[in-house]
Amino acid sequence: MNQRDIVQWIMRKTIKENSICVDMILGNGNDLVYIMNLAMNGKVYGFDIQRVAIQRTKEKIKPSHRIQLINDSHENIDLYIHENIDFGVYNLGYLPSGNRNITTSVHSTMFSLKVLLNKLNHGGNIVISTYPGHREGYCEDIEIKKYLTTLNQHEFDVLHFDYLNRRNSPPKVYWITKVGKV
Ligand SMILES: C[S@@+](CC[C@H](N)C(=O)[O-])C[C@H]1O[C@@H](n2cnc3c(N)ncnc32)[C@H](O)[C@@H]1O
């Protein structure tokens, strides 16, 4: 089972037909396409700072009022999303077959995560994949884990998926659920 299988399994378990979702990092748009097919009557927002990522995502979808692609940093989420959300996903790192110098960063990831947690509906979920194999990814993973450990257990469930027997810094997955009635 790879990281993508775990993330997609969580998506299938948690995203409902009418869910309001956000892909915090579009990249090639694969997560957004997967989400869109689950939230068939919901709404999907997607962020990326690179125009090439927005373009690659557009090529995979049909234009729809249910999808809003935003060419800006996810730190500015409050400027664009004025409703609570049911599901959010981060696939951190750099764009596959893109510029490897443009990667997500600890500051913007942590800032946006705190805003996103405040926007999460009861019963809502956030899934984060980290890639500790490169320097920024290693720092992101440490900060995310440290922060998630501090969340109040009466408000959030936090699960952590780790490959204990894989070499070369494999990806990790964090699954956060806001406890309470849906
Ligand atoms: C690993 S890719 C995302 C993979 C994607 N989820 C997929 O399914 O293909 C990383 C992306 O993060 C984007 N990125 C970096 N910093 C960002 C930020 N502050 N806000 C939004 N996107 C950012 C980069 O432009 C790059 O496209």
Side-chain angles (χ1 to χ4, degrees):
M1 183 178 270
N2 63 31
Q3 163 270 339
R4 184 169 292 273
D5 294 325
I6 298 168
V7 172
Q8 292 187 346
W9 177 79
I10 298 171
M11 286 176 176
R12 290 194 301 277
K13 269 204 92 58
T14 59
I15 297 176
K16 311 224 163 53
E17 208 177 305
N18 291 311
S19 293
I20 309 296
C21 307
V22 53
D23 184 346
M24 297 294 275
I25 308 166
L26 284 168
N28 286 326
N30 299 320
D31 288 337
L32 181 127
V33 170
Y34 201 84
I35 293 169
M36 214 184 66
N37 289 327
L38 293 168
M40 283 182 301
N41 294 315
K43 175 135 203 202
V44 190
Y45 298 91
F47 286 89
D48 205 291
I49 50 171
Q50 292 190 76
R51 208 172 287 171
V52 62
I54 303 285
Q55 198 47 46
R56 285 184 192 175
T57 305
K58 270 189 186 156
E59 284 162 12
K60 292 187 171 141
I61 57 174
K62 287 197 194 116
S64 159
H65 65 280
R66 296 195 303 107
I67 303 166
Q68 193 177 334
L69 302 182
I70 301 154
N71 188 191
D72 197 355
S73 170
H74 44 223
E75 283 163 285
N76 297 324
I77 179 169
D78 267 341
L79 295 178
Y80 302 94
I81 305 185
H82 307 293
E83 59 187 332
N84 281 355
I85 64 121
D86 301 302
F87 182 86
V89 64
Y90 288 82
N91 189 7
L92 298 169
Y94 47 79
L95 184 63
S97 55
N99 184 344
R100 291 193 171 210
N101 294 319
I102 305 177
T103 174
T104 51
S105 71
V106 176
H107 173 79
S108 67
T109 300
M110 293 311 300
F111 183 90
S112 66
L113 176 59
K114 289 170 189 173
V115 179
L116 190 62
L117 282 165
N118 274 324
K119 286 183 145 343
L120 198 60
N121 280 323
H122 287 285
N125 294 272
I126 297 173
V127 185
I128 308 169
S129 299
T130 64
Y131 297 86
H134 67 107
R135 206 178 69 85
E136 194 65 26
Y138 176 78
C139 298
E140 281 178 314
D141 184 65
I142 291 198
E143 287 304 312
I144 287 169
K145 189 172 180 187
K146 199 161 78 184
Y147 176 67
L148 294 182
T149 307
T150 68
L151 293 182
N152 184 329
Q153 64 170 359
H154 299 297
E155 279 186 77
F156 297 99
D157 282 331
V158 183
L159 278 100
H160 179 196
F161 297 77
D162 203 348
Y163 294 96
L164 296 180
N165 63 340
R166 248 192 224 182
R167 290 182 193 162
N168 301 326
S169 309
K172 298 172 194 278
V173 177
Y174 296 87
W175 176 12
I176 307 147
T177 302
K178 184 160 178 176
V179 179
K181 289 181 195 158
V182 182

